Amino acid sequence: MSLDLQRPTDLGDVSNLGQSRSSISDFRRPVGVDPHQIEAEAELRDVLQRLQFSASPITLERLQEIYETSMNEGGGVLPVYSRSTAELIVDVLMLRCSEKTQSMLHPEITPAAKHSMRLFFQFLQHSEQVQDVLETKSAHELKRTLKFERHLKDPDREHVLLAGDLIAYLSTNYPKFANWEAYVPPDAYHLVKESFEDLPKESFELQQPRLSMDSRPPTTGLYYDTTPEDVLKIFNTSATEGLSSVECLERLRIYGKNALPKPKPPGVLTILKHQLMDFMVIILIVAAVLSAALMDYIAAGALIAVVTVNVLIGFTQELKAERALASLASLQIATGTVIRDGEQVQIENELIVPGDIIVLQDGMMISADARIIEVHSLQVDEAILTGECALVSKKVEPIYVSNLDLGDTKNCAFMSTLVAKGRGKAVVVATGGSTEVGKISGALASAKTEKTLLQKKLASLGRILVLIAVVLCLIMFVVGLIRGFSVIDMVHISVSLAVSVIPEGLAIVVTLSFSFAAQSIAKRHAIVRKLPSIESLGSVSVICSDKTGTLTEGKMKCEEVWVAEKKYTVSGPGSKPEGDILNDVKAKVHAHEMSKSLLDAMMVSAVCANAQVTLAGSEWVLSGAPTELAIVVMAQKAGFSKTTFTDGTHGNLEFVSEIPFDSERKRMAVVYQNEGEMVIMMKGAPERVVERCKLFRNSHGEDIPLTAEITQVIEDTGMEMASRGLRVLALGQRTCHSLSDPTSAQEVEAKELTFLGLVGIIDPPREEVGPAVAACHAAGIGVIMITGDHQITASSIAKQLGIMTEEEEAAGTYVRRGVELDALSDEDLASMEPFPKVCARVSPENKLKIVNALKARGEVVAMTGDGVNDAPAIKFANIGIAMGITGTDLTKQSADIILLDDCFATIVAAIEEGRRVYDNIRKFVLYLLSANSAEIWIMLFSITIGLPPPFTSVMILWANIFADIPPALALGVDPAEPDVLSRLPRDPKAGIFNAWTASLVLVQGINMALISAIVYIIALWVEGYEVQMARTLVYATLTSIQLVHAFSSKSVRATLFRRATLNNKWLLGGFCISFICLLFGIYTPGVNSVLELVPFPIWDWLKVVAACICHLAVMEFIKLLFRINASLQNTDDAKFYREI
């Protein structure tokens, strides 16, 4: 169906243009999607993708055919396209509309551009999905791509009418495009008006225009390229009257509450389900069911008890972590100031709707995304969203740039950011989930959580053990039948063997080890939300860290002052006035020793600022903008506060006026009166202060002419300071007898000032971070700084902290900006060599891209941060780490671990704990599997040679739970090895077992089984013991060997005869408890009958002791061979640990 270019006269004619502009409710969606439609849409996408690269007539004609065929088959309605297809239609055709001839002086549109506009209009009229996509476009994008000025000047009269129809359609049906002058250049206004004159009014004035307030509200968005007047029109609101209360209720119904879609915290049942779905727990439940089916209710009860204990421990720990997180969550802002019914009122934030006029005031948290329409020196702290510490000066003028970064959207205000200075008004353009913060929150709420590496490895181990159990049971069953055992007997024996294969204590010991580790980490000021993430910490190979507030203090500090061509450094922290002004030899400069130049610089710093630093009890309270706080703190370190210059100590200044800072002038000036004279003080960007100065204060305190040579020195000094990551402010001063108008910026800032000097400000690195980074490097862990800050500042901080060296910075390949990352595909970034160590000016999308690229390289990634912009990367990293003090609620909800002290060094301590945990997990896994394999081998051996089974399932369960768990649990809290932080991270792809460890388990298990089997055979065949007595003796022998084997399991290489063998008091206690349980099971009447054990003579314990000594001797011999092999290959401990 082609577009009818005749001017319609009857809206009832469905083939004419007027009907195509009718209410969106006239378009009906088909009920289902058939295969033919899927095939047709695939062809449409193929044609559009070809059209991206070449607008050939053949391709355009084919697209026209597809359109007409779809319209005919749909009875005048296009099929329902997918969102991605609709976006392709809009983006490709709008782009092709701008195609022009190559003439430099008189470019004209090409036939392809004319055909593309026709197709664009046709799809727009008849596809609701295309209409939805167009809502996301801005007036600036229409102006840039559709190029109406060229189409309206085309010689073809019919095409000019088509262009006019499209403008009429857009301006009538979309309130955001109502002002067509915003996307049509002024020199084409008359052409639009002429086109409109030829178009009957009723043909484009709809009864229910799309997205009008009579049907649906305006589309939410930032509208940064739209004038304030047009935004007010689009949202049908007034800057002075605001919305009416009745209208707000309707909009609240349409848009919903202004609340963020928070990730749903796990409930009690969810946490319980998570514990029950652990693979090892499922295995134990299955084993319990099998035991119950065989009427072995004691064994079934014991297994259920194991499951219950394991689940309760894990459930309790996760519940405690979630409650601790809830207690950390900061209170969400409750109210905001809006204009409604012509009055300023305080309302709950959840009730704010698009179109509301919010009043922005100093110190308030912004309640929603808004387009600013009025400013008075308005500055906003957006660090929570962009990661940049510096305040953003706001303005009202539209910004005509495509794909604008949030940090550069200076005419918009964002939810959860803070008004640091000034005041203003803004019209709300997005609320709740539609805000920038809401989009991030929504994405995180729907994200799935991946299992940790250890969870995957233990699940894999569990599957292997189940397979082994099945195979061994079948072998045992067949061998038993061959040896003459009955089917019933062999079923019981096979179940006993299956119980031997499965280490029932493993799940409990793993959970308890994590729980103990979580408590240990909590003592180091971190909360573990998910227990298995502790182990993942131990395998971290790269830490991606946000800069502001994590690596740095998140507070601006004056680092140095350049006055009268002399440089002074400022010591002490930036958060309190404790420190000194030091000269070039690092000697303190006292107040009475200061030159006039330096004294005046301190006065300007103290007085030309609105920040306050006061002492409340023993705590310093800071209020004001970060930059102003920095210079005020510096002045107070020198011994000068604002009152020092107003109370007669160093002057009697009286405030007269202030010319506030704004983004255009980039400076601030104050006027004070002192003993009949006017004193003007100024601070601001160096170039903007220098242009107001004609004198320079030299080292002798004299004001000399500000020559070109001196100006060059100032510029060079400022550039040198900036190259070290310092933010540079300039200070100026002027004294005069009078001012006719002290409120006039033109008069106050006349080119009569004296240039005093420069101040270098920086967000300083945390003192503990440098050593922590060095510890990371020693542990083979890379550190990458990811920040929204400038690359010069980021590089400077990275060098100070040791993240990057001078040589690496000079190479130019270790520092990348966000725009460079945008240009790379995911595959290109993942394969980049060398991988960047500093990523500056990055967006939340860039951070997530970096994390995914590192994971694709096989790295185990920990991502740290505190702002909303860090949350996506934190969520999708292997380990997400949030700051507990400065971190937002959203960031904490996304994290696995929360640092209570916001200290990077705590991460290193947590990694050390994670490595210790993994080492210990390996120790007790090897211990448990060696012990359980011994039970398997002796069972198989006994049945094969015709001996009665040495153990029943109840005996095995008693040994596995009461004898094995206490030592295994003690191994789980074994102290860290001395080299735990000097090894390389372990290979994340490596399983718990490899050739070394599997061989070790095999040898240890066979040795324990062989020694115990010899005792069993001697008891039955030599000494003639009854079966029950022989079983008890071999049971005591194997259990005792397993207990002493726990001490040997502390190290797979080091000898047992060393001091560290007895450094674990819990292992000594576990040994005693297990041995007591062994004696209790043998010698306690009633209990021994349940366990099918009988007391045996005390001298038989000599056999047990001898068996233990034999086992330890064999183990020591094997360790000796390990050490000899390592010395021959010159393998150090770190390499050996990595190999095994």
Side-chain angles (χ1 to χ4, degrees):
M1 174 181 173
S2 62
L3 183 65
D4 187 355
L5 291 176
Q6 300 297 319
R7 290 307 200 238
T9 57
D10 182 7
L11 287 176
D13 183 1
V14 296
S15 66
N16 63 32
L17 179 61
Q19 178 61 24
S20 70
R21 289 170 172 170
S22 65
S23 169
I24 197 64
S25 62
D26 293 337
F27 302 121
R28 298 286 183 259
R29 292 177 180 267
V31 175
V33 179
D34 57 32
H36 173 70
Q37 179 180 325
I38 296 174
E39 184 178 338
E41 183 167 339
E43 183 183 6
L44 172 61
R45 290 180 63 86
D46 180 64
V47 172
L48 287 166
Q49 287 165 353
R50 280 187 278 130
L51 194 59
Q52 282 182 298
F53 303 101
S54 173
S56 67
I58 296 175
T59 308
L60 286 166
E61 287 299 332
R62 181 61 192 137
L63 186 58
Q64 185 74 53
E65 290 175 10
I66 293 173
Y67 166 79
E68 292 177 356
T69 301
S70 300
M71 287 292 290
N72 290 332
E73 292 178 353
V77 178
L78 287 175
V80 177
Y81 296 125
S82 66
R83 177 74 179 196
S84 59
T85 299
E87 289 174 345
L88 200 58
I89 291 170
V90 173
D91 292 340
V92 172
L93 291 178
M94 284 180 65
L95 177 65
R96 287 301 172 190
C97 286
S98 62
E99 198 171 273
K100 64 179 181 178
T101 61
Q102 298 300 314
S103 172
M104 183 177 296
L105 297 178
H106 303 289
E108 298 177 352
I109 57 170
T110 63
K114 293 165 66 174
H115 200 169
S116 297
M117 178 167 280
R118 175 189 296 269
L119 281 164
F120 173 68
F121 199 2
Q122 289 173 329
F123 277 104
L124 180 61
Q125 293 175 88
H126 296 98
S127 171
E128 181 178 347
Q129 292 74 47
V130 172
Q131 293 164 356
D132 288 341
V133 171
L134 192 64
E135 293 174 28
T136 66
K137 304 298 180 182
S138 66
H140 175 66
E141 288 177 284
L142 295 187
K143 180 179 180 180
R144 180 174 56 85
T145 56
L146 295 180
K147 300 294 183 184
F148 282 115
E149 67 274 20
R150 294 177 190 161
H151 290 273
L152 290 168
K153 295 177 182 178
D154 190 75
D156 184 352
R157 178 62 180 167
E158 285 195 351
H159 185 70
V160 173
L161 294 177
L162 170 70
D165 286 353
L166 179 54
I167 294 171
Y169 182 90
L170 295 170
S171 62
T172 304
N173 295 333
Y174 290 84
K176 70 188 296 185
F177 303 139
N179 180 18
W180 53 265
E181 295 179 353
Y183 47 92
V184 176
D187 61 354
Y189 285 176
H190 67 286
L191 299 173
V192 177
K193 292 174 181 176
E194 289 174 7
S195 176
F196 280 14
E197 288 173 1
D198 294 338
L199 185 64
K201 187 175 182 181
E202 64 272 11
S203 67
F204 61 87
E205 277 192 355
L206 308 182
Q207 296 175 355
Q208 281 192 320
R210 178 172 176 77
L211 298 182
S212 72
M213 289 308 298
D214 296 329
S215 57
R216 287 174 60 190
T219 310
T220 56
L222 294 182
Y223 292 89
Y224 60 80
D225 59 355
T226 308
T227 64
E229 296 76 17
D230 288 341
V231 175
L232 291 170
K233 290 178 183 177
I234 290 169
F235 285 89
N236 195 21
T237 187
S238 165
T240 55
E241 298 295 319
L243 297 173
S244 68
S245 300
V246 175
E247 178 65 23
C248 288
L249 290 175
E250 177 63 17
R251 295 195 186 193
L252 187 63
R253 181 187 66 79
I254 295 169
Y255 289 104
K257 288 186 176 182
N258 179 33
L260 294 179
K262 293 183 179 179
K264 186 179 179 181
V268 171
L269 292 179
T270 303
I271 297 175
L272 186 61
K273 178 184 175 184
H274 173 256
Q275 297 297 323
L276 289 171
M277 292 306 292
D278 183 86
F279 190 78
M280 293 301 294
V281 171
I282 293 174
I283 292 174
L284 294 178
I285 293 174
V286 172
V289 171
L290 287 174
S291 298
L294 294 171
M295 292 183 290
D296 192 350
Y297 299 117
I298 295 176
L303 288 168
I304 292 299
V306 171
V307 170
T308 302
V309 171
N310 180 73
V311 169
L312 281 177
I313 294 170
F315 172 81
T316 303
Q317 183 61 36
E318 283 203 29
L319 190 63
K320 283 170 61 179
E322 291 300 329
R323 287 175 176 172
L325 174 64
S327 68
L328 281 175
S330 57
L331 295 175
Q332 191 175 11
I333 47 174
T335 62
T337 304
V338 300
I339 298 176
R340 287 190 179 176
D341 299 314
E343 296 181 357
Q344 283 193 25
V345 292
Q346 288 274 341
I347 65 168
E348 293 182 17
N349 284 333
E350 289 189 344
L351 303 181
I352 291 176
V353 297
D356 262 325
I357 305 299
I358 57 174
V359 179
L360 306 176
Q361 297 172 328
D362 186 5
M364 71 167 284
M365 197 77 78
I366 296 172
S367 311
D369 285 2
R371 172 66 165 88
I372 294 171
I373 58 175
E374 180 182 316
V375 295
H376 299 280
S377 304
L378 181 63
Q379 292 184 296
V380 179
D381 181 356
E382 296 179 348
I384 191 175
L385 191 60
T386 65
E388 294 189 47
C389 193
L391 300 183
V392 180
S393 297
K394 295 297 181 178
K395 63 179 185 178
V396 299
E397 294 77 17
I399 304 171
Y400 297 115
V401 177
S402 299
N403 301 319
L404 199 61
D405 291 334
L406 288 182
D408 297 322
T409 313
K410 297 185 178 180
N411 55 8
C412 294
F414 303 103
M415 174 186 267
S416 298
T417 58
L418 178 69
V419 178
K421 187 177 180 182
R423 54 191 176 86
K425 289 182 182 178
V427 55
V428 174
V429 294
T431 57
S434 299
T435 63
E436 296 303 314
V437 173
K439 291 173 185 176
I440 297 174
S441 180
L444 296 175
S446 60
K448 294 182 179 179
T449 303
E450 289 187 5
K451 288 186 176 181
T452 67
L453 294 172
L454 183 65
Q455 286 175 311
K456 295 175 182 177
K457 291 173 184 177
L458 287 178
S460 176
L461 175 62
R463 286 188 287 270
I464 292 172
L465 291 177
V466 169
L467 180 61
I468 291 173
V470 171
V471 172
L472 289 179
C473 285
L474 289 174
I475 294 174
M476 177 69 74
F477 190 80
V478 172
V479 171
L481 292 178
I482 293 173
R483 298 296 300 176
F485 289 92
S486 68
V487 173
I488 297 298
D489 287 341
M490 288 315 303
V491 169
H492 281 280
I493 292 171
S494 297
V495 170
S496 299
L497 185 64
V499 171
S500 297
V501 173
I502 300 169
E504 291 82 4
L506 181 59
I508 290 179
V509 175
V510 168
T511 304
L512 283 172
S513 294
F514 283 154
S515 181
F516 293 151
Q519 294 175 28
S520 176
I521 291 176
K523 293 177 182 177
R524 297 188 173 195
H525 310 294
I527 289 178
V528 178
R529 293 188 62 216
K530 301 168 185 175
L531 291 181
S533 61
I534 297 173
E535 178 275 334
S536 296
L537 268 174
S539 57
V540 165
S541 58
V542 174
I543 300 175
C544 295
S545 178
D546 178 47
K547 178 183 74 70
T548 306
T550 306
L551 298 175
T552 64
E553 293 180 1
K555 299 172 183 177
M556 303 303 281
K557 170 185 179 291
C558 282
E559 193 79 3
E560 62 185 51
V561 188
W562 183 81
V563 174
E565 300 186 64
K566 290 183 178 180
K567 185 181 292 184
Y568 300 87
T569 56
V570 184
S571 67
S575 57
K576 50 188 175 182
E578 296 176 2
D580 301 297
I581 308 297
L582 309 176
N583 59 21
D584 54 355
V585 295
K586 303 301 180 182
K588 178 180 178 180
V589 181
H590 297 275
H592 64 274
E593 299 172 340
M594 290 185 179
S595 64
K596 179 173 174 52
S597 304
L598 185 56
L599 182 62
D600 284 347
M602 293 299 112
M603 179 176 69
V604 174
S605 299
V607 176
C608 189
N610 292 316
Q612 292 184 337
V613 180
T614 55
L615 186 62
S618 59
E619 297 291 330
W620 288 98
V621 179
L622 286 69
S623 62
T627 302
E628 294 194 335
L629 281 169
I631 61 174
V632 169
V633 168
M634 175 191 68
Q636 291 196 15
K637 287 178 180 178
F640 305 107
S641 64
K642 183 179 289 189
T643 56
T644 306
F645 298 99
T646 59
D647 65 0
T649 305
H650 286 280
N652 292 290
L653 298 176
E654 295 179 10
F655 177 76
V656 176
S657 64
E658 175 184 327
I659 309 298
F661 179 93
D662 64 46
S663 57
E664 298 300 325
R665 293 168 34 258
K666 294 185 178 179
R667 57 180 174 251
M668 169 192 178
V670 293
V671 180
Y672 278 77
Q673 187 172 7
N674 184 37
E675 298 179 355
E677 291 185 321
M678 293 291 185
V679 180
I680 300 168
M681 288 168 274
M682 178 186 293
K683 74 171 190 298
E687 68 276 12
R688 294 305 179 90
V689 174
V690 167
E691 69 183 16
R692 298 290 95 196
C693 297
K694 74 172 186 178
L695 300 173
F696 176 77
R697 182 75 53 78
N698 65 16
S699 58
H700 302 293
E702 301 170 343
D703 292 347
I704 60 175
L706 183 62
T707 62
E709 291 78 8
I710 295 176
T711 301
Q712 187 62 49
V713 171
I714 294 172
E715 182 179 348
D716 292 344
T717 303
M719 290 295 292
E720 188 276 330
M721 293 168 73
S723 70
R724 290 184 282 115
L726 298 177
R727 185 182 180 194
V728 185
L729 285 182
L731 308 176
Q733 183 190 44
R734 171 192 170 200
T735 302
C736 60
H737 293 294
S738 63
L739 291 170
S740 58
D741 185 2
T743 62
S744 168
Q746 185 174 1
E747 183 173 358
V748 171
E749 297 180 346
K751 190 175 174 62
E752 299 288 337
L753 276 76
T754 298
F755 188 89
L756 294 177
L758 301 172
V759 178
I761 302 173
I762 197 170
D763 178 12
R766 290 172 175 263
E767 292 182 2
E768 71 279 357
V769 173
V773 170
C776 286
H777 290 162
I781 301 169
V783 180
I784 298 176
M785 177 192 291
I786 304 178
T787 178
D789 215 338
H790 194 278
Q791 67 186 80
I792 294 177
T793 304
S795 297
S796 175
I797 296 293
K799 287 187 295 182
Q800 291 181 53
L801 295 175
I803 294 174
M804 182 174 65
T805 64
E806 293 279 358
E807 293 75 16
E808 289 171 338
E809 183 188 30
T813 55
Y814 289 89
V815 182
R816 299 289 178 178
R817 292 175 297 131
V819 290
E820 297 176 77
L821 301 179
D822 287 333
L824 296 172
S825 67
D826 293 342
E827 294 76 16
D828 289 340
L829 180 57
S831 60
M832 179 179 285
E833 293 296 344
F835 200 84
K837 292 188 174 182
V838 175
C839 299
R841 287 295 190 194
V842 295
S843 64
E845 293 78 13
N846 293 146
K847 294 184 178 185
L848 183 57
K849 187 175 185 178
I850 293 166
V851 167
N852 288 334
L854 287 167
K855 290 171 72 175
R857 290 167 67 97
E859 306 285 359
V860 179
V861 185
M863 176 69 198
T864 74
D866 56 355
V868 172
N869 58 322
D870 301 316
I874 285 175
K875 180 71 174 180
F876 289 96
N878 298 102
I879 293 291
I881 304 172
M883 303 296 111
I885 299 173
T886 59
T888 62
D889 291 349
L890 183 62
T891 311
K892 295 172 190 173
Q893 289 284 353
S894 306
D896 302 298
I897 293 173
I898 300 167
L899 305 183
L900 298 178
D901 56 0
D902 286 10
C903 179
F904 183 86
T906 303
I907 300 173
V908 180
I911 288 175
E912 179 183 6
E913 190 66 25
R915 289 191 175 189
R916 184 187 70 83
V917 166
Y918 186 80
D919 285 350
N920 291 344
I921 286 174
R922 294 255 312 215
K923 290 177 186 178
F924 66 63
V925 166
L926 295 182
Y927 167 71
L928 288 175
L929 292 183
S930 297
N932 284 39
S933 68
E935 297 164 2
I936 296 169
W937 298 125
I938 193 171
M939 290 279 286
L940 280 171
F941 177 76
S942 300
I943 296 297
T944 302
I945 66 173
L947 291 176
F951 309 126
T952 63
S953 58
V954 176
M955 292 166 64
I956 293 171
L957 280 174
W958 183 267
N960 288 357
I961 295 172
F962 294 99
D964 291 351
I965 286 182
L969 194 57
L971 287 174
V973 294
D974 208 36
E977 297 291 335
D979 65 341
V980 70
L981 276 182
S982 61
R983 311 179 209 148
L984 294 176
R986 67 179 182 276
D987 184 357
K989 296 179 182 178
I992 293 178
F993 281 106
N994 55 25
W996 276 96
T997 50
S999 301
L1000 198 60
V1001 168
L1002 185 65
V1003 170
Q1004 290 174 346
I1006 289 176
N1007 187 64
M1008 284 188 274
L1010 184 60
I1011 294 173
S1012 301
I1014 292 173
V1015 172
Y1016 190 42
I1017 291 172
I1018 292 173
L1020 286 173
W1021 291 353
V1022 177
E1023 297 181 331
Y1025 281 15
E1026 294 181 359
V1027 172
Q1028 197 170 7
M1029 177 70 76
R1031 279 179 173 172
T1032 304
L1033 181 58
V1034 73
Y1035 174 76
T1037 300
L1038 182 57
T1039 302
S1040 299
I1041 291 174
Q1042 291 171 350
L1043 291 179
V1044 296
H1045 181 68
F1047 291 95
S1048 182
S1049 296
K1050 280 175 63 66
S1051 174
V1052 295
R1053 180 178 180 182
T1055 178
L1056 184 67
F1057 304 103
R1058 58 175 184 151
R1059 185 178 299 176
T1061 301
L1062 301 178
N1063 67 350
N1064 186 348
K1065 62 181 180 180
W1066 299 106
L1067 184 56
L1068 295 173
F1071 174 87
C1072 294
I1073 291 172
S1074 293
F1075 192 74
I1076 289 171
C1077 288
L1078 173 63
L1079 297 177
F1080 182 77
I1082 295 174
Y1083 294 103
T1084 304
V1087 176
N1088 54 15
S1089 60
V1090 171
L1091 297 178
E1092 302 179 43
L1093 299 172
V1094 294
F1096 58 83
I1098 193 169
W1099 54 82
D1100 278 341
W1101 282 103
L1102 296 176
K1103 303 173 187 176
V1104 174
V1105 172
C1108 292
I1109 293 173
C1110 290
H1111 173 72
L1112 291 178
V1114 173
M1115 291 301 100
E1116 283 299 301
F1117 179 71
I1118 293 173
K1119 289 183 180 182
L1120 177 62
L1121 293 179
F1122 274 5
R1123 292 195 296 274
I1124 293 173
N1125 180 63
S1127 63
L1128 291 175
Q1129 297 183 16
N1130 195 26
T1131 304
D1132 59 16
D1133 285 345
K1135 183 178 179 182
F1136 179 80
Y1137 264 99
R1138 187 166 175 80
E1139 287 177 353
I1140 67 167

